[in-house]
């Protein structure tokens, strides 16, 4: 347990995890979550009741290289060293990449940020076992150029209601996408990468599922603007499976954040 | 069960697996092995007692994209379709990539072949959870250029006794390395890739461990020829951990093999 009694400080963590074994980020009554594991480990380590606030509340099975969480502590441990001490108490599928102090008012969901996600599809006839946890296997031929063309239509400020799970209670559904690309890397992996200032519930997975529908010719690339205009979830493609999705990282505007 | 009673045919399988959960390739009394799982699944599927012969008898924890196994069968199922039927009976961490008929005399270890292995090291200060099963995490800075220089000395025909586990009973220890490269890809991953016509027990892992010793300055690149000359296991570096190693594929000389 670290010494308590210092000034209250707000600490920002960059958190990487493999989501396979977790019921997502957010604490829930039945099931182990990333947030829950972090709260327990931090509370035990610092001797305070810690509850982190996460930036991206990823679904069950979604992975992360750079999700962000903040919490307040009076512990005297230097902020930059928290990640090393914390990693000793975390399972090997959750690893904090860095820790630092941020201004007290910093909130990881309310401050302006640019979030990047990647959706990986393994497009070949037979699966590759070493990729099965973080790449969605899809055996029908995907037309890369059509997917790239379709992805271009997502860039800009649009109402993404058609790309939002109907379970969502979000009021405003207008979001801004800063970049959206599709590329193929060796080993038949198609990577859909999207950066935006905000995302609706399941939005990236519905975009990925729609791009796959474009890739097999079920949706024409040039019909994306029309699908956006309809503001109807049923106009877009299916929600792609969670395990293909990785939260890559979040850029905040402020100086030391 | 497939219909039996046809001509005996020799079938070649290309086998991919994640080795994490297995006690290696070769059947052993205590523990589940890739070979054992294949034997059971094939025997049940074909209604014969099948025992495969593997090309690379990989250690516990080592992965594969293209290991090779052969077996003989009288079943009437078309050779090319065996992989699809077999994959239905295999766990998701073993996936047969292809199946075809080969000449009766074809033996995957005795015929001339060129085998390629890859050893992956994640070289940064903090591990990445999604890479933990197939990439060895090493936090001390590695000098890529020194490693590349050292790798060059392995190419050609040499006595690799210094790079062979002392447990090995191999008589001849001269082997030919056709290519040997070290490169860095994004995400701080250093890939050591080696192709040769034959390898001794633990040879690639000892080469990888020696290259890591070169990378941290404990072994000079130009001392590799000297280490080879000593024919003494203790002259080389440590055996790198199994989980960083992947059997990439095997090229055989013959026409339809």
């Amino acid at each position: 347990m670290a010494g308590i009694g210092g000034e209250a400080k707000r600490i920002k963590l960059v958190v990487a995890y493999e989501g396979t074994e977790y019921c997502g980020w957010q604490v829930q009554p039945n099931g182990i979550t990333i947030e829950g594991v972090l709260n327990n480990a931090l509370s035990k380590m610092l001797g305070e009741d810690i509850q982190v606030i996460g930036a991206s509340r990823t679904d069950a099975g979604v992975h992360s290289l750079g999700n962000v969480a903040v919490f307040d502590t009076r512990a005297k441990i230097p902020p930059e060293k928290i990640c090393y001490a914390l990693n000793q108490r975390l399972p090997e599928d959750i690893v904090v990449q860095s820790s630092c102090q941020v201004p007290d008012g910093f909130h990881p969901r309310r401050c302006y940020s640019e979030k990047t996600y990647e959706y990986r599809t393994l497009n070949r006839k037979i699966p590759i076992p070493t990729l099965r946890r973080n790449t969605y296997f899809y055996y029908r031929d995907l037309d890369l150029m059509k997917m790239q063309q379709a992805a271009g239509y997502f860039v800009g400020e649009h109402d993404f209601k058609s790309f939002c799970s109907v379970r969502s209670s979000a009021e405003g559904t207008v979001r801004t996408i800063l970049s959206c690309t599709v590329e193929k890397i060796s080993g038949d992996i198609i990577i859909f990468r999207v950066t935006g200032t905000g995302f609706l519930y399941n939005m990236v997975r519905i975009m990925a599922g729609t791009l796959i529908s474009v890739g097999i010719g079920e949706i024409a690339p040039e019909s994306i603007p029309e699908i956006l205009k309809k503001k109807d979830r049923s106009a877009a493609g299916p929600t792609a499976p969670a395990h293909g999705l990785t939260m890559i990282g979040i850029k905040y505007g402020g100086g030391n954040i």
Side-chain angles (χ1 to χ4, degrees), chain A:
Chain A
M1 191 192 301
I4 304 179
E7 288 281 297
K9 287 179 289 211
R10 180 153 285 197
I11 305 294
K12 174 192 164 208
L13 304 175
V14 174
V15 189
Y17 46 88
E18 185 192 291
T20 314
E21 304 296 333
Y22 297 93
C23 301
W25 173 273
Q26 205 164 5
V27 165
Q28 54 162 264
N30 310 308
I32 298 171
T33 64
I34 321 287
E35 189 185 28
V37 170
L38 286 172
N39 285 345
N40 285 341
L42 281 166
S43 298
K44 276 188 194 149
M45 179 175 115
L46 301 172
E48 298 167 279
D49 180 28
I50 303 286
Q51 295 201 307
V52 301
I53 304 168
S56 176
R57 289 168 290 185
T58 54
D59 288 338
V62 174
H63 318 292
S64 163
L65 292 178
N67 204 349
V68 165
V70 304
F71 64 94
D72 295 321
T73 179
R74 290 183 176 275
K76 286 177 178 166
I77 178 170
E80 285 71 24
K81 294 203 169 156
I82 288 174
C83 62
Y84 297 99
L86 182 54
N87 284 336
Q88 302 297 320
R89 295 166 176 267
L90 290 174
E92 60 175 9
D93 51 5
I94 304 179
V95 181
V96 176
Q97 300 292 302
S98 66
S99 52
C100 65
Q101 186 172 354
V102 287
D104 294 349
F106 174 73
H107 187 289
R109 287 198 301 277
R110 290 185 199 140
C111 296
Y112 175 88
S113 72
E114 299 177 1
K115 293 195 181 83
T116 299
Y117 291 91
E118 230 178 58
Y119 195 92
R120 291 186 170 232
T121 305
L122 178 65
N123 187 35
R124 64 204 300 273
K125 295 302 167 204
I126 295 192
I128 296 177
T130 46
L131 297 175
R132 73 187 187 283
R133 286 191 190 78
N134 59 1
T135 310
Y136 171 48
F137 169 69
Y138 192 78
Y139 74 97
R140 288 179 67 182
D141 285 343
L142 294 174
D143 185 324
L144 188 69
M145 279 183 61
K146 280 187 181 169
M147 294 171 76
Q148 289 169 329
Q149 196 191 334
Y153 290 108
F154 289 129
V155 178
E157 188 184 88
H158 304 286
D159 189 328
F160 281 95
K161 195 158 195 283
S162 297
F163 294 85
C164 177
S165 184
V166 285
R167 285 188 289 162
S168 170
S169 60
E171 286 184 22
T173 49
V174 174
R175 294 292 183 275
T176 301
I177 297 302
L178 301 167
S179 84
C180 191
T181 59
V182 178
E183 60 162 344
K184 191 166 194 164
I185 63 168
S186 66
D188 312 311
I189 298 168
I190 292 178
I191 298 181
F192 160 52
R193 195 180 175 99
V194 59
T195 301
T197 57
F199 292 88
L200 300 165
Y201 186 55
N202 280 165
M203 180 167 148
V204 181
R205 288 170 56 191
I206 299 169
M207 290 167 87
T210 303
L211 288 176
I212 288 170
S213 295
V214 168
I216 56 172
E218 280 183 1
I219 292 177
E222 55 274 16
S223 67
I224 297 291
E226 203 179 309
I227 293 172
L228 286 163
K229 244 177 251 164
K230 280 190 180 158
K231 298 179 195 176
D232 173 6
R233 170 68 189 91
S234 70
T239 307
H243 69 281
L245 183 62
T246 300
M247 176 345 92
I248 299 294
I250 307 172
K251 229 173 85 184
Y252 288 98
N256 61 347
I257 302 165

